[in-house]
Structures are given as C-alpha cells and as structure tokens.
Amino acid sequence: GDSVTQMEGPVTLSEEAFLTINCTYTATGYPSLFWYVQYPGEGLQLLLKATKADDKGSNKGFEATYRKETTSFHLEKGSVQVSDSAVYFCALGYNFNKFYFGSGTKLNVKP
Amino acid sequence: DAMVIQNPRYQVTQFGKPVTLSCSQTLNHNVMYWYQQKSSQAPKLLFHYYDKDFNNEADTPDNFQSRRPNTSFCFLDIRSPGLGDAAMYLCATSRETSGGENEQFFGPGTRLTVL
C-alpha cells in the first residue's frame, strides 16, 4: 500500500544552518508529493508540491525534488531562520482522495 | 481572501455530551475532508465528501458523523465524546483538476477538550 516515512525529530539547528528533512515514500500509483508546515496551534499550510517525477517544488527558500528512482522527496533549505521553527509533514496524494502523511518532523531553530 | 474557516477554534465539552464542529469554505471546492490530529502525530483522515457523496474511512468510529448541507459547509458531529476524542480537528478542501494538482487546503483547526 501507500505510505510515507519521515526522519524522526526533533531537528535542532542554529540560524543560517543548512536543513535537510528526509522523506521516502511507497506508492501503488503515480501520486503528487507535498510538504506541509504546521506552526503551533495552527492548521497545515502547503509549503511546496511536485506532481510528477523529476519535478522540483520550491517556496520561501525551501526545495524538494520528486525522485522516482529513490522514491524520495527530501526537503532542503540553504539557510534556516528562527521563524522556520515548526513541524513539517511530507505527504503523498491522489486526485480528490486521501492523503498519506508522514509522522512529522519538528524543527527547532536557535538564534 | 478565499479560505477555509473553522468554528469554534477551541471547544470544551463534557464526557458523553454531543458536540458539533463547523467548517466553511469560500474556495468553492467540491471535496471536503475531516481529520483528527492528536499531539505530535500526523493527521488521521476520518471521512470526506466528494460533492454530496460521503466516504467514511474503515476505522472511523461510529461515534463520528458528518453532514454537508451545501458546497460551502461541512459539520463534524461527535455523538458521545470520550476522553480519547480530545484532539485537534482539521477541516480541509480540494478541487477536482485535470492536472493532478490536488493539494488540500486546511483550516486552522478546532481544539477539542473533553472533561
């Protein structure tokens, strides 16, 4: 079946450090892949997405590439800020059907 | 701005007392979802509506029901809340597309406390 596996957190970084959060997936079809971010007490906000293999999603300095050969969608940012502290969820989904979420990775960025 | 709105943001109920959570959307999306999220966990899909068609997840307890009276509104009814139902409840929407860009748009959530 379909599933998403994320690296366990929390991840603690200093400001301006490089960020990688690993995400791998198992899919029975051809899903779209997503990264969502959740700030404390809030709902999920779409951070970026990729709809097919080799697509790169990017937003606010974050990037992730849909790699079919390694079934991965790792999230990266070159220089994190304190304001990036949040929980990040990797997800896969098919048209108007359920999403499969990873377990979430909490990121703490220290000044 | 087009958005997904959830009311109330915080809800306190007593053990066994029915409670209704509300979701509305101005995106005119045809699909609406309800998720339950417990602390430090991924959101868990309870059910979704595709237009008027209701789709229940196999492991959603009977205690959870939903209504969608029109495109804009969707309600989550918990008939007899237990302590284990305390959680954040997230509403989300998406729209049918031909391009596979089916991201879900989430509301801010309702935090349910059961006393």
Side-chain angles (χ1 to χ4, degrees):
Chain A
D2 299 85
S3 66
V4 175
T5 302
Q6 280 181 244
M7 64 186 287
E8 288 197 19
V11 173
T12 301
L13 296 173
S14 297
E15 206 165 22
E16 299 184 2
F18 185 85
L19 168 71
T20 299
I21 300 178
N22 289 338
C23 171
T24 57
Y25 67 91
T26 303
T28 55
Y30 302 95
S32 298
L33 300 175
F34 306 86
W35 276 101
Y36 281 84
V37 59
Q38 186 175 34
Y39 298 99
E42 298 294 327
L44 276 67
Q45 300 174 26
L46 179 67
L47 182 59
L48 53 83
K49 65 183 180 185
T51 58
K52 60 183 186 297
D54 299 326
D55 271 2
K56 177 186 280 188
S58 60
N59 186 29
K60 300 180 181 179
F62 291 89
E63 294 183 340
T65 300
Y66 189 161
R67 301 215 182 273
K68 193 175 178 183
E69 64 276 14
T70 54
T71 61
S72 65
F73 193 55
H74 304 321
L75 181 68
E76 296 182 336
K77 187 176 185 184
S79 177
V80 293
Q81 306 300 312
V82 172
S83 57
D84 294 326
S85 298
V87 180
Y88 292 81
F89 290 96
C90 184
L92 70 82
Y94 303 90
N95 258 340
F96 33 91
N97 210 328
K98 70 183 294 180
F99 269 25
Y100 296 84
F101 284 95
S103 56
T105 302
K106 185 173 184 180
L107 172 65
N108 295 318
V109 180
K110 297 188 173 182
Chain B
D1 287 341
M3 54 198 306
V4 181
I5 302 160
Q6 290 188 245
N7 285 306
R9 293 292 310 274
Y10 301 91
Q11 176 73 58
V12 180
T13 191
Q14 291 181 336
F15 183 93
K17 185 174 181 180
V19 65
T20 295
L21 308 183
S22 169
C23 177
S24 64
Q25 52 127 342
T26 61
L27 298 162
N28 202 31
H29 285 174
N30 57 333
V31 191
M32 295 187 77
Y33 309 78
W34 279 105
Y35 289 86
Q36 179 193 65
Q37 186 182 28
K38 296 190 175 180
S39 183
S40 303
Q41 296 182 22
K44 178 182 181 299
L45 183 65
L46 296 173
F47 24 61
H48 74 279
Y49 277 93
Y50 183 91
D51 293 323
K52 289 186 178 293
D53 293 334
F54 178 71
N55 298 272
N56 198 29
E57 292 298 299
D59 58 353
T60 298
D62 292 341
N63 198 26
F64 291 87
Q65 304 286 320
S66 186
R67 296 170 283 136
R68 189 179 186 187
N70 54 53
T71 299
S72 300
F73 283 87
C74 195
F75 300 98
L76 170 63
D77 300 309
I78 308 177
R79 292 192 296 187
S80 182
L83 298 179
D85 297 328
M88 175 79 90
Y89 289 88
L90 298 168
C91 175
T93 72
S94 68
R95 66 182 177 91
E96 180 177 357
T97 68
S98 58
E101 296 181 351
N102 57 319
E103 69 258 37
Q104 294 186 12
F105 295 79
F106 284 80
T110 295
R111 170 75 64 189
L112 177 67
T113 300
V114 181
L115 301 177

